[in-house]
Amino acid sequence: MQKFRNIAVIAHVDHGKTTLVDELLQQSGTFSEHEKVQERAMDSNDLEKERGITILSKNTAINYKGTKINIIDTPGHADFGGEVERVLKMVDGALILVDAYEGVMPQTKFVVKKMLALGLKPIVVVNKIDKPSADPERVVDEVFDLFVQMDATDDQQDFPVVYTSAKNGISKMEMEDEDGNFESLFETILSEVPEPTGSVDNPTQLQVFTLDYDNYVGKIGIARVFNGTIEKGQNILLAKADGEQVKGKISKLIGFSGLARTEIDKAYAGDIVAIAGMETVDVGDSVVDPANPMPLDPMHIEEPTLSVVFAVNDSPLAGLEGKNVTSNKIQERLAKEVNTNIAMKFEQVGEGKFRVSGRGELQITILAENMRRENFEFSISRPEVIVKMIDGRKNEPFEHLVIDTPEEFSGTIIERLGKKKAEMVSMVPMGSGQQRIEFEIPARGLIGFRGQFLTDTKGEGIMNHSFLEYRPQLGGVETRMNGALISTESGDAVAYSLNTIQTRGILFVAPQTKIYPGMIIGEHARPNDLDVNPSKGKQLSNVRSSGADDAIKLVPHRNLSLEKALEWIEDDELLEITPTHIRIRKKQLNASLRKRQAKSGK
Ligand SMILES: Nc1nc2c(ncn2[C@@H]2O[C@H](COP(=O)(O)OP(=O)(O)OP(=O)(O)O)[C@@H](O)[C@H]2O)c(=O)[nH]1
Ligand SMILES: [Mg+2]
């Protein structure tokens, strides 16, 4: 019988999971000698490649000394933490990567907590030992403290440690050892991760943990075979979370090997496979034997904590840049998204308006970015946290925030976060004048904070946060400190007037940018909004003064990415998103109506 090991690779963002998987693929001999695994091969979709982050967890499988090792690479960004939680239920062990300098970070804590709760066998991998600033000993101590703090069992606290440089393909059991290849890591996986416990002789029992979609075969479920076998063409029952049981048939069975997916006829207990043929398949569903149905416990699906409103674009420039602009098109696209992305939800909240909820700003901006590329045009509103009633009281999401900053800025940061209702939980020196400060903060206080934080730390600070829990709602938090520079005119922005306006704040637009009344063209240096006319040209006189306009030297404008723009806007503002532009505007474009509304406190 084929032997299996099932592992997940978990860590804080950027600690090197995907790079480590590259090397596991390369060194297992899954590829022939001359075949080179592409850098971060598992980050296969466009946005993942561009941003260098993992968005979706993905499977691969390697063969090492006759054992098939199924590996799930998971995303490290906090917005995708719920997915990691589900993936962990499908494996028997986890490689917990920790950056040899950064050490334990918010998402390390999050994934370790989930992993320990499931009783998994951890292997701690201290990665990036090649970094000059690496301090592996301190990092192992931090991990040990974390395990103790999170009530790990004695057995879990006795975790094996492997030191690696994923980038250089090096692993070793002790820092003093000679650099070796990944053999130490492979051997540790084989000896420490338990074999799957199910049996091929039991009735069929699978559970789906991820969804995928293929234009030809339709919805695909990726599932672990816990017991029995599964065959192409087999009749099965799909046991849903609510107890309903739906008859179905496996139309296609797909196995993983290296980066390839291949059609197979049969799979056995212990393996991870993809199944097609059931349009109603969902995450958490069990696939069971109709004659002997034994469904597994449904899965906990993370609830969204943040929402924004996607709406039909109604700006004066609407319809000029995108192709998919109608309410119907947007609704269809959102429906398609939630069909496979179970961490997201949407509902219609008005004519051409849809509230989209997810786990964080990144998750939402990724959807928006994908839609732009598919020729959509729409607007989105400021993110709002989702309030939950618990015991008759309003509760709001809290985050665990870790700040790394040069010491000199810590005072400013602490004061700033105080106004956002953050509570400091620790402050430790990290060497070379760096400080690590940890906070617990209402998620609300973090919306729009990053831009301010980068200014406050002169770009040298690093902030990381991940979901903590729902807690009773606190009072108001401080919002954006600067007003907006709002255009009163339509047409094109002109260098001559931008030159004057730039003395009042920071511009977001360059000359020749199309503008309209109510569009925001910059950030005012003061707290109030300011109406400006960016299209005013120099009075033409008879004397030709050509070149005068060209001679104007504008300060480079601030180019706002989708994320930055979304962080920046306030409740009365919107982002207008088209395939070619991201504009910021007031919800109410008419200046006098806007002022009246502001006065009446609306
Ligand atoms: N110096 C050094 N850099 C590394 C090492 N491993 C990974 N990196 C770098 O760290 C960065 C992040 O690597 P990834 O493999 O994408 O990290 P990840 O954990 O998969 O990131 P997410 O999936 O987004 O959470 C890349 O620039 C890698 O080249 C290492 O051993 N040493
Ligand atoms: Mg990755």
Side-chain angles (χ1 to χ4, degrees):
M1 249 349 279
Q2 168 90 66
K3 281 199 162 83
F4 294 103
R5 293 289 188 283
N6 294 316
I7 56 169
V9 187
I10 58 176
H12 185 74
V13 69
D14 267 358
H15 282 193
K17 297 172 289 299
T18 307
T19 309
L20 187 94
V21 174
D22 284 351
E23 216 50 43
L24 288 169
L25 283 164
Q26 187 76 50
Q27 294 197 27
S28 65
T30 308
F31 293 83
S32 52
E33 280 293 306
H34 61 276
E35 240 182 326
K36 182 93 187 90
V37 180
Q38 245 190 13
E39 202 176 311
R40 289 201 294 261
M42 301 289 284
D43 286 347
S44 48
N45 75 45
D46 285 353
L47 277 185
E48 288 181 323
K49 286 208 188 84
E50 272 170 40
R51 293 173 182 233
I53 57 164
T54 305
I55 296 169
L56 301 166
S57 63
K58 284 177 225 70
N59 287 69
T60 182
I62 58 177
N63 260 296
Y64 184 77
K65 295 191 177 163
T67 299
K68 180 174 183 186
I69 308 176
N70 283 303
I71 305 167
I72 312 179
D73 181 26
T74 66
H77 193 282
D79 283 17
F80 313 115
E83 179 149 340
V84 181
E85 187 177 350
R86 271 178 278 124
V87 161
L88 284 172
K89 285 195 142 180
M90 297 297 128
V91 295
D92 308 297
L95 301 185
I96 302 165
L97 259 68
V98 194
D99 181 302
Y101 165 71
E102 282 191 4
V104 168
M105 293 297 274
Q107 199 61 7
T108 319
K109 291 191 182 177
F110 181 89
V111 295
V112 164
K113 188 167 154 193
K114 300 297 175 193
M115 187 273 315
L116 292 174
L118 288 166
L120 292 185
K121 180 74 200 187
I123 296 173
V124 172
V125 178
V126 177
N127 187 36
K128 308 201 187 183
I129 53 169
D130 58 285
K131 273 188 173 178
S133 55
D135 189 357
E137 213 171 305
R138 185 199 85 227
V139 169
V140 172
D141 286 347
E142 279 180 25
V143 176
F144 183 75
D145 289 348
L146 177 66
F147 274 52
V148 173
Q149 194 189 329
M150 294 196 160
D151 298 324
T153 61
D154 289 349
D155 190 36
Q156 286 171 326
Q157 281 178 30
D158 200 17
F159 52 79
V161 181
V162 185
Y163 299 89
T164 61
S165 166
K167 207 167 80 171
N168 301 320
I170 288 165
S171 84
K172 49 188 176 182
M173 301 308 289
E174 302 289 344
M175 276 307 282
E176 301 76 53
D177 295 351
E178 290 266 308
D179 287 352
N181 61 15
F182 262 32
E183 195 180 329
S184 311
L185 183 55
F186 282 123
E187 292 298 335
T188 310
I189 294 170
L190 289 192
S191 62
E192 297 288 335
V193 179
E195 273 190 70
T197 51
S199 159
V200 288
D201 301 323
N202 291 340
T204 300
Q205 190 189 42
L206 289 80
Q207 192 164 31
V208 175
F209 63 97
T210 308
L211 298 175
D212 202 348
Y213 190 85
D214 180 292
N215 282 337
Y216 297 101
V217 295
K219 218 164 164 184
I220 294 172
I222 301 173
R224 159 128 180 217
V225 190
F226 282 94
N227 274 296
T229 58
I230 183 97
E231 280 178 69
K232 183 178 172 180
Q234 185 177 334
N235 290 312
I236 51 93
L237 273 185
L238 196 60
K240 321 275 306 168
D242 61 3
E244 193 197 352
Q245 300 197 333
V246 191
K247 278 188 192 152
K249 189 181 182 133
I250 306 291
S251 68
K252 259 198 179 116
L253 192 63
I254 302 151
F256 298 92
S257 170
L259 297 171
R261 291 179 168 201
T262 39
E263 270 198 61
I264 53 175
D265 293 323
K266 191 170 184 180
Y268 302 86
D271 209 351
I272 290 176
V273 290
I275 50 174
M278 290 148 299
E279 270 313 298
T280 57
V281 66
D282 254 318
V283 164
D285 288 358
S286 298
V287 175
V288 293
D289 182 354
N292 208 340
M294 290 197 289
L296 290 146
D297 288 341
M299 274 184 217
H300 163 77
I301 309 280
E302 68 279 17
E303 279 183 56
T305 53
L306 198 83
S307 74
V308 306
V309 173
F310 279 57
V312 170
N313 184 17
D314 63 357
S315 100
L317 300 175
L320 297 178
E321 289 153 10
K323 212 174 88 215
N324 302 319
V325 298
T326 62
S327 177
N328 275 344
K329 282 277 182 200
I330 294 172
Q331 180 166 23
E332 243 171 55
R333 178 61 182 81
L334 295 175
K336 182 179 149 212
E337 184 68 24
V338 301
N339 201 10
T340 55
N341 186 349
I342 62 148
M344 275 189 145
K345 292 192 169 72
F346 86 100
E347 56 174 339
Q348 183 148 18
V349 290
E351 183 74 29
K353 286 197 169 84
F354 307 90
R355 179 175 298 283
V356 177
S357 318
R359 210 49 193 271
E361 281 159 298
L362 181 66
Q363 198 175 47
I364 286 166
T365 46
I366 282 170
L367 170 62
E369 187 61 45
N370 278 325
M371 286 173 67
R372 294 182 75 188
R373 286 165 195 230
E374 295 160 25
N375 254 313
F376 276 88
E377 200 179 296
F378 50 96
S379 72
I380 54 183
S381 66
R382 178 174 209 256
E384 270 175 43
V385 300
I386 296 174
V387 173
K388 260 194 346 199
M389 293 301 280
I390 300 174
D391 300 331
R393 263 190 89 172
K394 280 188 178 166
N395 276 247
E396 66 175 326
F398 273 66
E399 300 266 323
H400 169 218
L401 169 69
V402 175
I403 301 275
D404 285 306
T405 171
E407 252 165 64
E408 61 209 277
F409 306 124
S410 47
T412 315
I413 299 299
I414 293 168
E415 192 191 329
R416 189 83 73 195
L417 285 166
K419 292 185 182 148
K420 298 191 176 280
K421 301 269 188 298
E423 201 182 302
M424 188 166 92
V425 288
S426 76
M427 179 148 95
V428 278
M430 292 288 283
S432 45
Q434 288 286 116
Q435 219 154 27
R436 175 166 294 177
I437 322 172
E438 305 197 19
F439 299 87
E440 292 177 0
I441 178 171
R444 219 163 16 123
L446 282 175
I447 298 173
F449 175 66
R450 190 177 297 268
Q452 186 65 53
F453 172 74
L454 289 175
T455 314
D456 286 345
T457 59
K458 304 211 159 63
E460 285 182 61
I462 300 171
M463 60 179 270
N464 277 286
H465 56 96
S466 76
F467 177 69
L468 192 61
E469 60 187 356
Y470 267 89
R471 287 186 188 166
Q473 195 173 38
L474 297 179
V477 300
E478 188 182 69
T479 52
R480 195 175 75 213
M481 317 230 305
N482 298 84
L485 296 172
I486 309 165
S487 169
T488 52
E489 306 298 319
S490 57
D492 293 334
V494 174
Y496 176 75
S497 45
L498 290 182
N499 187 37
T500 320
I501 297 169
Q502 70 180 0
T503 60
R504 313 300 294 263
I506 297 162
L507 294 176
F508 296 160
V509 299
Q512 268 87 56
T513 304
K514 289 224 170 324
I515 50 162
Y516 53 81
M519 178 170 150
I520 295 172
I521 62 144
E523 179 178 280
H524 192 195
R526 292 162 175 272
N528 62 306
D529 288 347
L530 185 71
D531 289 329
V532 292
N533 177 359
S535 66
K536 198 164 49 183
K538 194 176 165 64
Q539 281 292 317
L540 289 179
S541 60
N542 288 336
V543 188
R544 273 198 75 207
S545 62
S546 92
D549 214 40
D550 305 333
I552 290 173
K553 281 262 181 319
L554 289 175
V555 179
H557 68 279
R558 189 191 284 170
N559 220 337
L560 289 181
S561 64
L562 184 49
E563 275 99 322
K564 288 207 181 111
L566 189 64
E567 288 232 315
W568 191 83
I569 58 174
E570 284 293 336
D571 284 341
D572 64 338
E573 296 161 353
L574 291 175
L575 290 192
E576 176 186 358
I577 298 174
T578 79
T580 50
H581 287 90
I582 293 161
R583 303 187 184 91
I584 308 179
R585 54 167 282 190
K586 285 289 172 184
K587 274 185 185 163
Q588 176 55 262
L589 296 178
N590 182 300
S592 49
L593 285 179
R594 192 165 62 236
K595 275 166 201 147
R596 213 174 303 153
Q597 279 169 356
K599 249 195 210 118
S600 65
K602 175 69 200 63

